Amino acid sequence: MFADFFNPEKRFRLREHRTTVRTEILAGISTFLTMGYIVALNPNILTGFHTGSNLWNAIFLSTCICSAIGTFCMAFSANKPFAMAPGMGMNTFFATIVANITVALSIPYETAYHAAIIIILFEGLIFLIAGVLNLRHKIADNIPDCIKIAIAPAIGMMLIYIGFGSNVSIYAEGNGYSEPFYVMRDFFGAMTPTFLKAEMGKEYTQMIISVITIFLGLFVIVHFHKRRNSAAVILGILTSSLFYWLADYFILGRNPFRDAGKMSFVPDFGNMYRETLFNFDFSTFMNIGTYTIIMVLITFCIIDMFGTIGSLVGLAANAGMLDEKGKLSNIKQALLSDAVATVTGACTGSSTVVTFAESASGIQVGGRTGLTSFTTASLFALCIFISPLVAAIPPAATSTALIYIGVVMMQGLGKIDFRDIEQVTPVFIMMLAIAVSGSVGNGIGLGLVCYTIIKLISRKYRDVTPLTYVVTVIFLVKFFVAV
């Protein structure tokens, strides 16, 4: 029995899912390369970019640990190729809450952090209970079909938007390094190249290199995809990274591994023990105010619930894992993995953990089982010791994968009946909301609100399930009731 546990075929049922060990491992590596940026970016956001501080080092370790544990749970309990990590957007929101507590109570940031992290703990515990009681996946089953089908394309649009929009940010002398310049908005949106060069200054060359890096990697991926090479995404990332490193060294005259050189290969677990491990400040937490705590907790729960459900359903649809009724097998176990990861993150010092849309990169390579997520989780665990290597992958190279994955996921729009305005309207509003806001949960909420109101206006009351009515009211309150 012990041997069966570690037997890939018996453990993950590879033949049943028409995949192989090689494909699953390549898929897991691809997913990690696409989302590995989180191990450095999450502590940057949660500490206000105070790189090297004790809190930063602790949150870095926490990010690796909770990502690994959550993804291991996904592998062994749900047998799905989905990876987990602290959610982008959620960490920014949490950092804002911590900053507000710091100002309101006139306390150090670290003290406010130890108080606010209790909210994340409560959120995870609530979802653990909801998962055991089968409440979360019942909500997923009640999402209207048109919304459910469009979640994957909506996430795809968001990934494209991130790849071209915010993933590559270049600070330049032209504005005193105060605000970043972006590829889509500033490079392709510039009046003329001369105008942008004058606006940016000497960093204009770096922008050119970044743009070439993105498209070089994209073209490489498309080329190998057409040849049905399962390592297409990895080859694209590696090719674009190599080009960027060479250009960085020979054209810009910089060491491409300069940031990685600042990081240590030896993890400081003692630092995490002192700073964030079960370091909950309940006395400061109670000073925040009951009403504020409840409203912030509700906001986190709503965004996390629909963000995770949306990602799971969207990724599963992209991988062909939904049954004829549009349901995902083992969704209860997948949602419980999310809750376990969030509790782990709170206990070790990180914000809410979610299922990452970047898991689509591994799915595109061919990942179909928990062996993919097991591989990704193992790399997250190893990242505790190899963080400098992960930090060396340039953002432009990850944009390459994000854009390609987004384009592939957009193909799901073919299942939408464009002749039915009642379907098309909420679908496209949801897609735009998810892409621009960066919040899968809020985008789904806006789509559900539009869907419900349109059905009511059309007097098709029975097309909307009772639970959808309830969720619509909750989102209307969230969107419009100021507190």
Side-chain angles (χ1 to χ4, degrees), residues 241-428:
S241 295
L242 179 60
F243 170 80
Y244 190 91
W245 291 333
L246 292 174
D248 207 16
Y249 183 79
F250 289 105
I251 297 177
L252 300 180
R254 304 183 307 189
N255 175 10
F257 306 105
R258 57 193 177 281
D259 292 332
K262 300 176 183 178
M263 305 177 73
S264 173
F265 284 93
V266 181
D268 189 352
F269 289 107
N271 189 30
M272 186 181 75
Y273 174 78
R274 292 186 296 271
E275 289 290 332
T276 60
L277 188 63
F278 296 104
N279 198 340
F280 302 119
D281 189 341
F282 284 95
S283 60
T284 302
F285 175 74
M286 296 308 299
N287 291 332
I288 297 174
T290 303
Y291 182 76
T292 301
I293 290 173
I294 292 175
M295 293 309 300
V296 170
L297 180 59
I298 290 174
T299 301
F300 268 108
C301 286
I302 290 175
I303 296 174
D304 184 17
M305 177 177 292
F306 283 90
T308 298
I309 289 174
S311 295
L312 286 174
V313 173
L315 292 168
N318 185 49
M321 294 179 179
L322 299 181
D323 61 20
E324 63 278 359
K325 296 181 179 180
K327 296 182 179 181
L328 172 64
S329 64
N330 292 342
I331 190 171
K332 176 181 178 179
Q333 292 86 340
L335 291 171
L336 279 172
S337 299
D338 162 83
V340 169
T342 295
V343 171
T344 302
C347 292
T348 56
S350 186
S351 56
T352 305
V353 177
V354 302
T355 301
F356 257 55
E358 283 86 340
S359 301
S361 63
I363 292 172
Q364 185 58 36
V365 169
R368 292 296 182 271
T369 74
L371 183 54
T372 292
S373 46
F374 174 81
T375 303
T376 304
S378 300
L379 291 172
F380 269 122
L382 288 174
C383 198
I384 294 173
F385 306 95
I386 61 171
S387 57
L389 300 181
V390 177
I393 300 175
T398 61
S399 283
T400 285
L402 292 176
I403 294 166
Y404 165 75
I405 296 159
V407 170
V408 172
M409 295 184 76
M410 290 286 289
Q411 295 174 356
L413 281 176
K415 300 177 182 178
I416 299 292
D417 184 0
F418 286 91
R419 298 168 298 178
D420 186 351
I421 193 66
E422 292 182 3
Q423 288 190 41
V424 172
T425 301
V427 161
F428 276 94

Side-chain angles (χ1 to χ4, degrees), residues 45-73:
I45 291 173
L46 292 179
T47 63
F49 289 83
H50 289 166
T51 307
S53 66
N54 291 336
L55 183 60
W56 191 98
N57 292 328
I59 296 175
F60 165 78
L61 289 175
S62 172
T63 302
C64 297
I65 291 170
C66 66
S67 300
I69 290 177
T71 308
F72 275 130
C73 287

Side-chain angles (χ1 to χ4, degrees), residues 454-467:
I454 289 172
K455 288 296 183 181
L456 289 175
I457 294 173
S458 303
R459 298 183 180 180
K460 297 180 179 179
Y461 315 115
R462 294 183 180 179
D463 286 359
V464 183
T465 64
L467 187 55

Side-chain angles (χ1 to χ4, degrees), residues 157-171:
M157 181 179 285
M158 180 183 72
L159 294 180
I160 295 171
Y161 189 84
I162 292 172
F164 277 125
S166 60
N167 195 47
V168 179
S169 56
I170 299 176
Y171 287 83

